[in-house]
Amino acid sequence: MILELFVFASTGVVFLTSLTLCCSKIPESMIKIKSTLAALIDRHQVNDLSVGREIRLLERMEKKEIIYLSAGDMVYFRKEFLLSAFGTFLTYGLLIVNMRRFEKKYNIGTAS
């Protein structure tokens, strides 16, 4: 039972960590793309090569909002989320361990 609990917990931790780290890279990549777009717009406007469709397209792309993935707008997957998630798991884990010690100490929850 303890081995099964450990396997489930470690799988959950690995899944949550990898999901959060991958999702948190999306806004960082979008910021890099926006800075590249700004440089392209500046280069085109300075050189006066083509002020037509390309510039308008680049400006539209630059104005797009940065996307943060979320779980139904309840949890935003950023790197800061990992600290709060692990803190929550640790807190509830300690509560469960202390409840079991309390049950053993005062013989609560055992069938007579």
Side-chain angles (χ1 to χ4, degrees), residues 53 67 91:
R53 288 177 55 188
I67 297 172
T91 303

Side-chain angles (χ1 to χ4, degrees), residues 27-43:
E28 295 170 4
S29 298
M30 289 186 71
I31 290 171
K32 288 179 186 177
I33 291 170
K34 287 178 104 176
S35 63
T36 303
L37 287 172
L40 285 172
I41 290 170
D42 289 342
R43 187 178 317 149

Side-chain angles (χ1 to χ4, degrees), residues 92-111:
Y92 281 108
L94 290 174
L95 284 173
I96 290 170
V97 167
N98 285 331
M99 283 177 48
R100 287 188 180 166
R101 285 185 187 166
F102 184 77
E103 286 176 354
K104 286 181 183 177
K105 184 176 182 180
Y106 294 107
N107 293 326
I108 298 174
T110 57

Side-chain angles (χ1 to χ4, degrees), residues 18-33:
S18 61
L19 177 71
T20 303
L21 290 177
C22 290
C23 290
S24 68
K25 289 182 182 180
I26 292 172
E28 295 170 4
S29 298
M30 289 186 71
I31 290 171
K32 288 179 186 177
I33 291 170

Side-chain angles (χ1 to χ4, degrees), residues 39-104:
L40 285 172
I41 290 170
D42 289 342
R43 187 178 317 149
H44 279 294
Q45 286 178 347
V46 169
N47 292 335
D48 281 334
L49 292 176
S50 59
V51 186
R53 288 177 55 188
E54 291 102 16
I55 294 295
R56 285 195 302 263
L57 178 64
L58 291 174
E59 286 174 345
R60 283 184 58 206
M61 291 171 65
E62 184 185 29
K63 291 179 184 176
K64 296 285 183 184
E65 291 183 25
I66 296 175
I67 297 172
Y68 292 98
L69 294 183
S70 67
D73 285 335
M74 292 188 321
V75 175
Y76 289 94
F77 292 106
R78 298 179 185 161
K79 290 181 182 175
E80 298 87 20
F81 168 69
L82 284 177
L83 182 63
S84 64
F86 290 139
T88 303
F89 287 139
L90 178 67
T91 303
Y92 281 108
L94 290 174
L95 284 173
I96 290 170
V97 167
N98 285 331
M99 283 177 48
R100 287 188 180 166
R101 285 185 187 166
F102 184 77
E103 286 176 354
K104 286 181 183 177

